[in-house]
Amino acid sequence: MPRLWIVHREPRTRAALSRLAAAPHDALLGAPGDPAFAGAEPPAVVVLGLAAPFEAELEFAHRLAPRLRGAAWLLLAERAELPAARRLFDLLDAELLPYPPDASALRRRLRELARRSPSRPLALSQRAVRDTLAARFARWFRDLELPALLRALDPQLRDVPVLVRGEPGTGRGSLARYLHAFGGGADAAFAQVACSPGLSAGRLLDAIADAARSSPAAAGATVCLLGVDRLEPAAQRELLDWIELGPPPGLLRARPLRWIATAGDDPEEDALDPALRQALGGFLLRIPPLRERAESIPALVKETAARFGAARGERTRGFGDDALRALCEYPWPGNLRELESVVVQSLAASAADPLEASDLEQGGEAFAPVDAESLGAVLLAGDEPEPEAAPAPERLPAPAPFAAPAAAPPAAEPAPPQRAEDAGLGPLAAALAHELRSPLTGIRTFSELLPERWADAEFRARFAERTGEDVRRIEESLSRLSQVADFGPPADEVVDVTALLGELLEARREQVRERRLLVLQELDTQRPEARGDVEQIRFALDALLGACFALVPERGDLYLASKHHPTGLRGGPSLRVLVRFHGPQRGAPAERIPGLSPAENSLGLVLAERVIHAQQGSFTLSQTQGGETLLIVELRA
């Protein structure tokens, strides 16, 4: 029989328990404070006799239980003291028997406890879950280097907290479950709780307790908090205490207990309490978004298709080059989960082998890498026929940039350079009048009211604030006009448009952070150059981005892309720049997009258009059927 410890304050009681238990000759008997227990080989079973007020016995369990994780505990107490013993030894996974015990019952329980395996065999359902997790881990993360993961999987470190950072859809929850299943806790409780701003500390406590209630305490537990950075500050501080000092009594008796939390990956929007971040960061794992792993997309598609076929007893079908190109060029805001969803939906909807780009589906509709009208797809994938009923571009001097000629015509003679201010003055004058009229109206209104409300200090303060803001707007408009007036004939230089757009976006970083905008970029780094005047192109792109950023609503998204095309502009090479976003007012005709179109007299847009035309480029403004605004600039390359 494996080793047995019998612990009691009184020597005669220890001897009596040894006879009742028919203890083997190598059983270790001693008092709770006996130093022999500190260095002894861990037993299979500990029999601990309790005597009120239990102080020595509580200290014994507190000191040795962490070392004796594989041992079973049997507590003996007077019948009247059993409730108090159950309350005080709440974190110890132990059975309680009344003292004195029945000899046959005591021996039977000791035999059962001694035969008990330290870990329970896994049921078939648990084995299936482990296999699924292992397959998903291999599929999603095999290309990533996560050195901290190997240490986090060490069973000896099962109680070290883990913080998993990444965007939604990157597999943070799956990685947490993998850690639980393969880090020594497969037969332990897995309490998963989705955090939210409205989840109080009390409700969080209840959710954890409910999730872990059905698990045996001896096996340990993992508490997985999804989106912990969404919790209110008060709940985060309460959680910090649970991690550092232990959970409240009665929450989890399991030992070891591991905390795993997932959170976002944007340091500028990190709402995680710094102290909680440090407490959770025993191991820190970051999963990059799929757009940073674009080279892995073909393998992910292939393996997802193989899994789809194997689950149905079918052969694995493939995806053609054009389909893979479309999938690789999409920014995947939903990351891995969105990619797998598109692959599965496409395989289910089509019997083709291989599947082409036209076979791809998403949400029951044709998959479009950029927008529903496939305009962005053309921009990124190359020259293709223009879609039917495409919105007519505004004042476009050349054929639509998306039209692919049947045969490339001879390159047109370049138009003679023109000064930016030489273009038509009608729209420019209207735009300037619009830009100046609004602030002047405000100044005039306040000025007329000022004499009669001079004694009103609050009105005077509002007058000063409003007038200052209106004067600033007028000065900005005049500064733009002055800058364009100083432009001479555009130089014919090589302009790195990708680097230029990067600088302009960097200058708006604070605006993006404050308004919580999502800016997706797909800029051509292989052939990023255009020809023209670098300062004039900078002015035009800055004005266009400024107008677009002003119209993107709070927490909205803006997509920016560039691509070199060999025959994009009047039969010659070009660099196309596309800006796509949902504005605050959807569905307006392209010629009257509020605050942006020339018809609405946006001075910045009119000046940018004139400057682009001066570079012998083209400018297109349209709105898709889905209500998205598209701006397309085409520059000579």
Side-chain angles (χ1 to χ4, degrees), residues 189-209:
F190 185 77
Q192 180 171 283
V193 179
C195 302
S196 65
L199 191 65
S200 65
R203 289 175 57 199
L204 176 62
L205 191 68
D206 293 340
I208 295 173

Side-chain angles (χ1 to χ4, degrees), residues 263-280:
D265 192 36
D266 188 345
E268 295 187 357
E269 296 186 14
D270 191 6
L272 195 59
D273 182 275
L276 179 58
R277 181 170 59 244
Q278 294 171 3
L280 287 169

